Amino acid sequence: QVQVLESGGGLVQAGGSLKLSCLASGRTSSIGSMGWFRQAPGKEREFVAAINRISGSITYADSVKGRFTVSRDNAKNTAYLQMTSLKPEDTAVYYCAARNLGISEYKNWGQGTQVTVSS
C-alpha cells in the first residue's frame, strides 16, 4: 500500500508562486507515476500534471503549460509542483495521487492542500 501526503499550499497574490510537495510512503517501489489534480469549488476534479517515477516523462494540462513544473526526487520519494504566474482561477484544493506500475488508475490519494490566489 502507498500513502501520499501533500504540503505547501497557501494564499498568494495573482502573479505569485507556490511550490507543492507530495511525500510518498509505504511500498514506494510499486509507484509508476505521481500526479497532481485540483478541484475548485463547485467544479469537478481535474488533472493538472503527472510525472513517471521511472522514465521521468511528464504530462501537463493545457491550462497550466508554461506556468507549472512537475518534478520528482526518487531518493526522497517526493514529487513537486512548482506553480508560477498564478491566476485566481488556479484557486482550488490540490491533490497528489500515486498510480502503481501496470495500473491505469490513480488509486492512492492524499487529503489535499488548499491553494488560494487573490486578485
Side-chain angles (χ1 to χ4, degrees), residues 85-104:
S85 301
L86 282 161
K87 305 174 182 179
E89 51 263 43
D90 293 317
T91 295
V93 177
Y94 283 71
Y95 296 91
C96 175
R99 183 172 66 184
N100 286 359
L101 290 165
I103 304 296
S104 60

Side-chain angles (χ1 to χ4, degrees), residues 94-117:
Y94 283 71
Y95 296 91
C96 175
R99 183 172 66 184
N100 286 359
L101 290 165
I103 304 296
S104 60
E105 296 178 23
Y106 286 90
K107 293 188 175 182
N108 305 290
W109 292 82
Q111 294 298 306
T113 185
Q114 177 71 45
V115 172
T116 302
V117 185

Side-chain angles (χ1 to χ4, degrees), residues 27-99:
R27 293 188 60 189
T28 57
S29 61
S30 67
I31 297 174
S33 295
M34 295 185 75
W36 289 96
F37 298 77
R38 66 187 183 186
Q39 187 167 20
K43 294 189 176 181
E44 302 262 330
R45 186 161 57 190
E46 64 175 0
F47 170 78
V48 175
I51 184 166
N52 187 287
R53 188 181 68 87
I54 298 172
S55 70
S57 64
I58 290 170
T59 307
Y60 293 105
D62 288 343
S63 59
V64 306
K65 280 181 182 176
R67 300 189 299 122
F68 290 11
T69 302
V70 63
S71 60
R72 91 263 196 242
D73 184 335
N74 288 346
K76 295 182 179 180
N77 292 317
T78 301
Y80 304 95
L81 185 68
Q82 176 69 56
M83 305 183 292
T84 63
S85 301
L86 282 161
K87 305 174 182 179
E89 51 263 43
D90 293 317
T91 295
V93 177
Y94 283 71
Y95 296 91
C96 175
R99 183 172 66 184

